[in-house]
Coordinates of all heavy atoms in Angstrom, one line a residue:
M8 N 52.1 56.3 49.0 CA 52.3 55.1 48.2 C 53.0 55.3 46.8 O 52.5 56.2 46.1 CB 51.0 54.3 48.1 CG 51.2 52.9 47.5 SD 49.7 51.9 47.5 CE 48.4 52.9 48.0
T9 N 54.0 54.5 46.6 CA 54.8 54.7 45.4 C 54.6 53.5 44.5 O 54.5 52.3 45.0 CB 56.3 54.8 45.7 OG1 56.5 55.9 46.5 CG2 57.1 55.0 44.4
E10 N 54.3 53.7 43.3 CA 54.3 52.6 42.3 C 55.5 52.4 41.5 O 56.1 53.5 41.0 CB 53.0 52.7 41.3 CG 51.7 52.6 42.0 CD 50.6 52.6 41.0 OE1 50.7 53.3 40.1 OE2 49.6 52.0 41.3
L11 N 56.0 51.2 41.3 CA 57.1 50.9 40.5 C 56.8 50.1 39.4 O 56.0 49.0 39.5 CB 58.2 50.1 41.4 CG 59.5 49.8 40.8 CD1 60.3 51.1 40.5 CD2 60.3 48.9 41.7
Y12 N 57.2 50.5 38.1 CA 56.8 49.7 36.9 C 58.0 49.0 36.3 O 59.1 49.6 36.1 CB 56.2 50.6 35.8 CG 55.2 51.6 36.4 CD1 55.4 52.9 36.6 CD2 53.9 51.1 36.7 CE1 54.4 53.8 37.2 CE2 53.0 51.9 37.2 CZ 53.2 53.3 37.4 OH 52.2 54.1 38.0
L13 N 57.8 47.7 36.1 CA 58.9 46.9 35.6 C 58.4 46.3 34.2 O 57.3 45.8 34.1 CB 59.3 45.7 36.4 CG 60.0 46.0 37.7 CD1 59.1 46.6 38.8 CD2 60.6 44.8 38.2
L14 N 59.2 46.6 33.2 CA 58.8 46.1 31.8 C 59.8 45.1 31.3 O 61.0 45.3 31.4 CB 58.8 47.2 30.9 CG 58.4 47.1 29.5 CD1 56.8 46.8 29.6 CD2 58.5 48.3 28.7
Y15 N 59.3 43.9 30.9 CA 60.1 42.7 30.6 C 59.9 42.5 29.1 O 58.8 42.6 28.6 CB 59.7 41.5 31.3 CG 60.1 41.5 32.7 CD1 59.2 42.1 33.7 CD2 61.3 41.0 33.2 CE1 59.4 42.0 35.1 CE2 61.6 41.0 34.7 CZ 60.6 41.6 35.5 OH 61.0 41.6 36.8
S16 N 61.0 42.0 28.4 CA 60.9 41.6 27.1 C 61.1 40.0 27.1 O 61.8 39.5 27.7 CB 62.0 42.1 26.2 OG 62.0 41.6 24.9
R17 N 60.2 39.3 26.2 CA 60.3 37.9 26.1 C 60.7 37.5 24.7 O 60.1 38.1 23.7 CB 59.0 37.3 26.5 CG 58.5 37.4 27.8 CD 57.1 36.7 27.9 NE 56.6 36.8 29.2 CZ 55.3 36.5 29.5 NH1 54.6 36.0 28.5 NH2 54.9 36.5 30.8
Y18 N 61.5 36.5 24.6 CA 61.9 36.0 23.2 C 62.4 34.6 23.4 O 62.8 34.1 24.4 CB 62.9 36.9 22.5 CG 64.1 37.1 23.3 CD1 65.2 36.3 23.1 CD2 64.3 38.1 24.2 CE1 66.4 36.5 23.7 CE2 65.4 38.3 24.9 CZ 66.5 37.5 24.7 OH 67.7 37.8 25.3
L19 N 62.5 33.9 22.2 CA 63.0 32.6 22.2 C 64.5 32.7 21.7 O 64.8 33.4 20.7 CB 62.3 31.7 21.3 CG 61.0 31.2 21.7 CD1 60.3 30.4 20.6 CD2 61.1 30.1 22.9
T20 N 65.4 32.0 22.3 CA 66.7 31.9 21.8 C 66.8 31.0 20.7 O 65.9 30.4 20.3 CB 67.8 31.4 22.9 OG1 67.3 30.0 23.3 CG2 67.6 32.2 24.1
D21 N 68.1 30.9 20.0 CA 68.2 30.0 18.9 C 68.0 28.6 19.2 O 67.7 27.7 18.4 CB 69.6 30.2 18.3 CG 69.8 31.6 17.6 OD1 68.8 32.2 17.2 OD2 70.9 32.0 17.5
E22 N 68.1 28.3 20.5 CA 68.0 26.9 21.0 C 66.5 26.7 21.5 O 66.2 25.7 22.2 CB 69.0 26.6 22.2 CG 70.3 26.7 21.8 CD 71.0 28.1 21.8 OE1 70.4 28.9 22.5 OE2 71.9 28.3 21.0
N23 N 65.6 27.6 21.2 CA 64.2 27.5 21.6 C 63.9 27.5 23.0 O 63.2 26.8 23.6 CB 63.5 26.3 20.9 CG 63.3 26.4 19.4 OD1 63.0 27.6 19.0 ND2 63.3 25.4 18.7
I24 N 64.8 28.3 23.7 CA 64.7 28.4 25.2 C 64.0 29.8 25.5 O 64.5 30.8 24.8 CB 66.1 28.4 25.9 CG1 66.6 27.0 25.7 CG2 66.0 28.7 27.3 CD1 68.1 26.9 26.1
N25 N 63.0 29.9 26.3 CA 62.4 31.1 26.6 C 63.4 31.9 27.4 O 63.8 31.5 28.4 CB 61.1 30.9 27.4 CG 59.9 30.4 26.5 OD1 59.8 30.9 25.4 ND2 59.2 29.6 27.0
H26 N 63.4 33.2 27.0 CA 64.3 34.1 27.7 C 63.5 35.4 28.0 O 62.8 35.8 27.3 CB 65.5 34.5 26.8 CG 66.6 35.4 27.6 ND1 67.3 34.8 28.6 CD2 66.8 36.7 27.6 CE1 68.1 35.8 29.0 NE2 67.8 37.0 28.3
E27 N 63.7 35.9 29.2 CA 63.0 37.0 29.7 C 64.1 38.1 30.2 O 64.9 37.7 30.9 CB 62.1 36.7 30.7 CG 61.0 37.8 31.0 CD 59.9 37.3 31.9 OE1 58.9 36.7 31.2 OE2 59.9 37.5 33.1
C28 N 63.9 39.2 29.7 CA 65.0 40.3 30.1 C 64.3 41.5 30.6 O 63.4 42.0 30.1 CB 65.7 40.6 28.8 SG 66.6 42.1 28.8
L29 N 64.8 42.0 31.8 CA 64.2 43.3 32.3 C 64.8 44.4 31.5 O 66.0 44.6 31.3 CB 64.7 43.4 33.7 CG 64.2 44.6 34.6 CD1 62.7 44.5 34.7 CD2 64.9 44.6 35.8
M30 N 63.8 45.2 31.0 CA 64.2 46.4 30.2 C 64.2 47.6 30.8 O 65.1 48.5 30.6 CB 63.2 46.4 28.9 CG 63.2 45.2 28.1 SD 62.2 45.3 26.6 CE 63.0 46.6 25.7
I31 N 63.1 47.9 31.7 CA 63.1 49.2 32.2 C 62.4 49.1 33.7 O 61.5 48.3 33.9 CB 62.2 50.1 31.4 CG1 62.1 51.6 31.9 CG2 60.8 49.7 31.1 CD1 61.5 52.6 30.9
I32 N 62.9 50.0 34.5 CA 62.3 50.2 35.8 C 62.2 51.7 36.0 O 63.0 52.4 35.8 CB 63.2 49.7 37.0 CG1 63.5 48.3 36.9 CG2 62.5 50.0 38.3 CD1 64.6 47.6 37.9
T33 N 60.9 52.1 36.3 CA 60.6 53.4 36.5 C 59.4 53.7 37.4 O 58.7 52.8 37.7 CB 60.3 54.2 35.1 OG1 60.1 55.6 35.3 CG2 59.1 53.5 34.4
S34 N 59.3 54.9 37.9 CA 58.1 55.2 38.7 C 57.3 56.3 38.1 O 56.4 56.7 38.5 CB 58.6 55.8 40.1 OG 59.4 56.9 39.9
S35 N 57.6 56.5 36.8 CA 56.7 57.4 35.9 C 56.0 56.7 34.8 O 56.5 56.1 33.9 CB 57.8 58.5 35.2 OG 57.1 59.1 34.2
K36 N 54.6 57.0 34.8 CA 53.8 56.4 33.9 C 54.0 56.9 32.4 O 54.1 56.2 31.5 CB 52.3 56.7 34.3 CG 51.7 55.8 35.3 CD 50.2 56.0 35.5 CE 49.7 55.4 36.6 NZ 48.3 55.6 36.8
Q37 N 54.4 58.2 32.5 CA 54.6 58.8 31.2 C 55.9 58.3 30.5 O 55.9 57.9 29.3 CB 54.9 60.4 31.3 CG 53.6 61.2 31.8 CD 53.3 61.1 33.2 OE1 54.2 60.6 34.1 NE2 52.2 61.4 33.5
K38 N 56.9 58.0 31.3 CA 58.2 57.4 30.8 C 57.9 56.0 30.3 O 58.5 55.6 29.3 CB 59.3 57.4 31.8 CG 59.9 58.8 32.0 CD 61.1 58.7 33.0 CE 61.7 60.2 33.2 NZ 62.8 60.0 34.2
L39 N 57.2 55.3 31.2 CA 56.8 53.9 30.9 C 56.0 53.8 29.4 O 56.4 53.0 28.6 CB 56.0 53.2 31.9 CG 55.5 51.9 31.6 CD1 56.6 50.9 31.6 CD2 54.4 51.5 32.7
N40 N 55.0 54.6 29.3 CA 54.2 54.6 28.1 C 55.0 55.0 26.9 O 54.9 54.5 25.8 CB 53.0 55.5 28.3 CG 51.9 54.9 29.1 OD1 51.8 53.6 29.3 ND2 51.1 55.7 29.9
A41 N 56.0 56.0 27.2 CA 56.7 56.5 26.0 C 57.7 55.2 25.5 O 57.9 55.0 24.4 CB 57.6 57.7 26.3
Q42 N 58.2 54.5 26.5 CA 59.1 53.4 26.2 C 58.3 52.3 25.6 O 58.9 51.7 24.6 CB 59.8 52.8 27.5 CG 60.7 51.7 27.3 CD 62.0 52.2 26.5 OE1 62.4 53.4 26.7 NE2 62.7 51.4 25.9
I43 N 57.2 51.9 26.0 CA 56.3 50.9 25.3 C 56.0 51.3 23.9 O 56.1 50.5 23.0 CB 55.0 50.7 26.1 CG1 55.3 50.2 27.5 CG2 54.0 49.9 25.3 CD1 54.1 50.2 28.5
K44 N 55.6 52.6 23.7 CA 55.3 53.0 22.3 C 56.6 52.9 21.4 O 56.5 52.4 20.3 CB 54.8 54.5 22.3 CG 54.4 55.1 21.0 CD 53.9 56.4 21.0 CE 53.6 56.9 19.7 NZ 53.0 58.3 19.7
N45 N 57.7 53.4 21.9 CA 58.9 53.3 21.2 C 59.3 51.8 20.8 O 59.7 51.5 19.7 CB 60.1 53.8 22.0 CG 61.3 54.0 21.2 OD1 61.4 54.2 20.1 ND2 62.4 53.6 21.9
I46 N 59.1 50.9 21.7 CA 59.5 49.5 21.5 C 58.6 48.9 20.4 O 59.0 48.3 19.4 CB 59.3 48.7 22.7 CG1 60.4 49.0 23.7 CG2 59.3 47.1 22.5 CD1 60.4 48.4 25.1
F47 N 57.2 49.1 20.5 CA 56.2 48.6 19.5 C 56.4 49.3 18.2 O 56.1 48.7 17.1 CB 54.9 48.7 20.0 CG 54.5 47.6 21.0 CD1 53.8 47.8 22.2 CD2 54.8 46.3 20.7 CE1 53.6 46.9 23.1 CE2 54.5 45.3 21.6 CZ 53.9 45.6 22.8
T48 N 56.9 50.5 18.1 CA 57.1 51.2 16.8 C 58.3 50.5 16.1 O 58.3 50.2 14.9 CB 57.4 52.7 17.0 OG1 56.3 53.4 17.7 CG2 57.7 53.4 15.7
K49 N 59.4 50.2 16.9 CA 60.5 49.6 16.3 C 60.3 48.1 16.0 O 60.8 47.6 15.0 CB 61.7 49.7 17.2 CG 62.3 51.1 17.4 CD 63.4 51.1 18.4 CE 64.0 52.6 18.5 NZ 65.0 52.6 19.5
N50 N 59.5 47.4 16.8 CA 59.3 46.0 16.5 C 57.8 45.6 17.1 O 57.6 45.3 18.2 CB 60.4 45.2 17.4 CG 60.2 43.7 17.1 OD1 59.4 43.3 16.2 ND2 61.0 42.8 17.7
P51 N 56.9 45.7 16.2 CA 55.5 45.4 16.5 C 55.3 44.0 17.1 O 54.3 43.7 17.8 CB 54.7 45.5 15.2 CG 55.7 46.3 14.3 CD 57.1 46.0 14.8
D52 N 56.2 43.0 16.8 CA 56.0 41.7 17.2 C 56.7 41.3 18.6 O 56.7 40.3 19.1 CB 56.6 40.7 16.3 CG 55.8 40.8 15.0 OD1 54.6 41.0 15.0 OD2 56.4 40.7 13.9
E53 N 57.3 42.4 19.2 CA 58.0 42.3 20.5 C 56.9 41.8 21.6 O 55.7 42.1 21.5 CB 58.5 43.6 21.0 CG 59.3 43.5 22.2 CD 60.8 43.3 22.0 OE1 61.3 43.6 20.8 OE2 61.4 42.8 22.9
E54 N 57.4 40.8 22.3 CA 56.4 40.3 23.5 C 56.8 41.1 24.8 O 58.0 40.8 25.2 CB 56.5 38.8 23.6 CG 55.9 38.2 22.4 CD 55.8 36.6 22.6 OE1 55.9 36.2 23.7 OE2 55.7 36.0 21.5
L55 N 56.0 41.8 25.4 CA 56.3 42.5 26.5 C 55.4 42.1 27.8 O 54.3 41.7 27.6 CB 56.2 44.0 26.4 CG 57.0 44.7 25.3 CD1 56.6 46.1 25.2 CD2 58.5 44.5 25.6
R56 N 56.0 42.2 29.0 CA 55.2 41.8 30.2 C 55.5 43.0 31.1 O 56.6 43.4 31.3 CB 55.6 40.6 30.8 CG 54.7 40.3 32.1 CD 54.9 38.9 32.5 NE 56.3 38.5 32.8 CZ 56.8 38.7 34.0 NH1 56.1 39.4 35.0 NH2 58.1 38.5 34.3
L57 N 54.4 43.5 31.8 CA 54.4 44.6 32.7 C 54.1 44.1 34.0 O 53.2 43.3 34.1 CB 53.5 45.7 32.3 CG 53.3 46.9 33.2 CD1 54.5 47.7 33.3 CD2 52.1 47.8 32.8
E58 N 54.9 44.6 35.0 CA 54.6 44.3 36.4 C 54.5 45.6 37.1 O 55.4 46.6 36.8 CB 55.6 43.4 37.1 CG 55.6 42.0 36.7 CD 56.7 41.2 37.4 OE1 57.3 41.7 38.3 OE2 56.9 40.1 37.0
V59 N 53.4 45.8 37.9 CA 53.4 47.1 38.7 C 53.4 46.6 40.2 O 52.7 45.7 40.7 CB 51.9 47.7 38.5 CG1 51.9 49.0 39.3 CG2 51.9 48.1 37.0
W60 N 54.3 47.2 40.9 CA 54.5 46.9 42.4 C 54.1 48.2 43.1 O 54.6 49.3 42.6 CB 55.9 46.6 42.6 CG 56.3 45.2 42.0 CD1 56.5 45.0 40.7 CD2 56.4 43.9 42.7 NE1 56.8 43.6 40.6 CE2 56.7 43.0 41.7 CE3 56.4 43.6 44.1 CZ2 57.0 41.7 42.0 CZ3 56.6 42.3 44.4 CH2 57.0 41.3 43.4
E61 N 53.5 48.1 44.3 CA 53.4 49.3 45.1 C 54.2 49.2 46.4 O 54.3 48.1 47.0 CB 51.8 49.3 45.5 CG 50.9 49.7 44.4 CD 49.5 49.8 44.8 OE1 49.1 49.4 45.9 OE2 48.8 50.3 43.9
H62 N 54.7 50.3 46.7 CA 55.5 50.4 48.0 C 54.6 51.0 49.1 O 54.2 52.1 49.0 CB 56.8 51.1 47.7 CG 57.7 51.2 48.9 ND1 57.9 52.3 49.7 CD2 58.4 50.3 49.4 CE1 58.8 52.0 50.7 NE2 59.1 50.8 50.6
A63 N 54.4 50.3 50.2 CA 53.7 50.7 51.3 C 54.1 49.9 52.5 O 54.5 48.8 52.4 CB 52.2 50.6 51.0
N64 N 54.2 50.6 53.5 CA 54.6 50.0 54.9 C 56.0 49.2 54.7 O 56.1 48.1 55.3 CB 53.5 49.1 55.4 CG 52.2 49.8 55.6 OD1 52.1 50.9 56.1 ND2 51.1 49.1 55.2
D65 N 56.9 49.9 54.1 CA 58.3 49.4 54.0 C 58.4 48.0 53.3 O 59.2 47.2 53.4 CB 58.9 49.2 55.3 CG 59.2 50.5 55.9 OD1 59.4 51.5 55.2 OD2 59.2 50.6 57.3
E66 N 57.4 47.7 52.4 CA 57.5 46.5 51.6 C 56.9 46.8 50.2 O 56.0 47.7 50.0 CB 56.9 45.3 52.2 CG 55.4 45.4 52.5 CD 54.8 44.3 53.1 OE1 55.5 43.2 53.2 OE2 53.6 44.4 53.6
Y67 N 57.3 46.0 49.2 CA 56.6 46.1 47.8 C 55.7 44.9 47.6 O 55.9 43.8 48.0 CB 57.7 46.0 46.8 CG 58.4 47.3 46.6 CD1 59.6 47.5 47.1 CD2 57.9 48.3 45.7 CE1 60.3 48.8 46.9 CE2 58.5 49.5 45.6 CZ 59.7 49.7 46.0 OH 60.3 50.9 46.0
L68 N 54.5 45.3 47.2 CA 53.5 44.3 46.8 C 53.2 44.3 45.4 O 52.9 45.4 44.8 CB 52.2 44.4 47.7 CG 52.4 44.3 49.2 CD1 51.2 44.8 49.9 CD2 52.8 43.0 49.6
Q69 N 53.1 43.2 44.6 CA 52.8 43.2 43.3 C 51.3 43.3 43.0 O 50.5 42.6 43.7 CB 53.3 41.8 42.6 CG 53.1 41.9 41.1 CD 53.6 40.7 40.4 OE1 54.1 39.7 41.1 NE2 53.5 40.6 39.1
V70 N 50.9 44.3 42.3 CA 49.5 44.6 42.2 C 49.0 44.4 40.7 O 47.8 44.3 40.5 CB 49.1 46.1 42.5 CG1 49.3 46.3 44.1 CG2 49.9 47.1 41.8
L71 N 49.9 44.2 39.8 CA 49.5 43.9 38.4 C 50.6 43.2 37.7 O 51.8 43.4 37.9 CB 49.2 45.2 37.7 CG 49.0 45.0 36.1 CD1 47.5 44.4 36.0 CD2 48.9 46.5 35.5
S72 N 50.3 42.2 36.8 CA 51.2 41.5 35.9 C 50.3 41.2 34.7 O 49.4 40.5 34.8 CB 51.8 40.2 36.6 OG 52.6 39.6 35.6
K73 N 50.7 41.7 33.6 CA 49.9 41.6 32.4 C 50.9 41.5 31.1 O 51.9 42.2 31.1 CB 48.9 42.5 32.2 CG 49.2 43.9 31.8 CD 47.9 44.7 31.6 CE 47.7 45.3 30.2 NZ 46.6 46.1 30.1
D74 N 50.6 40.7 30.1 CA 51.2 40.7 28.8 C 50.6 41.9 28.0 O 49.4 42.2 28.1 CB 51.0 39.4 28.1 CG 51.7 38.3 28.8 OD1 52.8 38.5 29.5 OD2 51.2 37.2 28.8
L75 N 51.5 42.6 27.4 CA 51.2 43.8 26.6 C 51.1 43.4 25.1 O 52.0 42.7 24.7 CB 52.1 45.0 26.8 CG 52.2 45.5 28.3 CD1 53.2 46.7 28.3 CD2 50.8 46.0 28.8
A76 N 50.1 44.0 24.4 CA 50.1 43.9 22.9 C 50.3 45.3 22.4 O 50.1 46.4 23.2 CB 48.8 43.3 22.5
R77 N 50.4 45.5 21.1 CA 50.6 46.8 20.6 C 49.4 47.6 20.7 O 48.3 47.1 20.6 CB 50.9 46.6 19.1 CG 51.2 47.9 18.4 CD 51.4 47.7 16.9 NE 51.8 49.0 16.4 CZ 52.6 49.2 15.4 NH1 53.2 48.2 14.7 NH2 52.9 50.4 14.9
G78 N 49.6 48.8 21.3 CA 48.5 49.7 21.6 C 48.1 49.7 23.1 O 47.3 50.5 23.5
D79 N 48.7 48.8 23.8 CA 48.4 48.7 25.3 C 49.3 49.8 26.0 O 50.5 49.9 25.7 CB 48.7 47.4 25.9 CG 47.7 46.4 25.6 OD1 46.6 46.8 25.2 OD2 48.0 45.2 25.8
Y80 N 48.6 50.5 26.9 CA 49.4 51.6 27.7 C 48.8 51.5 29.0 O 47.7 51.0 29.3 CB 49.3 52.9 27.1 CG 49.9 53.0 25.7 CD1 49.1 53.0 24.6 CD2 51.2 53.0 25.5 CE1 49.6 53.0 23.2 CE2 51.8 53.1 24.2 CZ 51.0 53.0 23.1 OH 51.5 53.1 21.9
L81 N 49.5 52.2 30.0 CA 49.0 52.2 31.3 C 48.3 53.4 31.6 O 48.7 54.5 31.2 CB 50.3 52.1 32.4 CG 49.9 51.8 33.7 CD1 49.4 50.4 33.9 CD2 51.2 51.9 34.6
D82 N 47.1 53.3 32.0 CA 46.1 54.5 32.2 C 46.6 55.3 33.5 O 47.0 54.8 34.4 CB 44.7 54.2 32.4 CG 44.2 53.5 31.1 OD1 44.6 53.8 30.0 OD2 43.4 52.5 31.3

């Protein structure tokens, strides 16, 4: 079984429209955690959402969706 990690950034546009942007797709927890740390170091107020998908039996199933705060990492 393979896990796929998707990391999204959320922000408001100048017109107060919620915007969500896909930032990273990886299958490595180490790369994901390094990217999360880097983002929060540069901008502690960044709003991030993490999705974890598992690949099994030729399909992907979402197993986790959570908002991240500074200091949150994937175990």
Side-chain angles (χ1 to χ4, degrees):
M8 182 170 9
T9 304
E10 288 185 327
L11 185 65
Y12 309 109
L13 287 73
L14 188 63
Y15 293 88
S16 173
R17 293 179 178 169
Y18 58 91
L19 283 175
T20 65
D21 291 338
E22 296 82 21
N23 287 328
I24 297 171
N25 282 322
H26 184 74
E27 196 166 278
C28 162
L29 180 62
M30 297 182 69
I31 185 173
I32 301 174
T33 183
S34 58
S35 166
K36 283 184 188 178
Q37 291 81 11
K38 286 182 182 177
L39 174 73
N40 284 332
Q42 184 69 24
I43 292 169
K44 182 178 180 181
N45 184 43
I46 290 167
F47 282 132
T48 298
K49 290 180 180 175
N50 185 4
D52 297 325
E53 186 90 20
E54 292 186 19
L55 299 176
R56 184 168 57 85
L57 171 68
E58 290 182 2
V59 181
W60 294 72
E61 288 183 350
H62 184 251
N64 301 324
D65 293 329
E66 64 181 348
Y67 280 97
L68 300 172
Q69 186 176 3
V70 294
L71 176 70
S72 178
K73 76 180 239 181
D74 293 326
L75 300 179
R77 187 176 181 151
D79 284 342
Y80 300 101
L81 197 61
D82 297 327

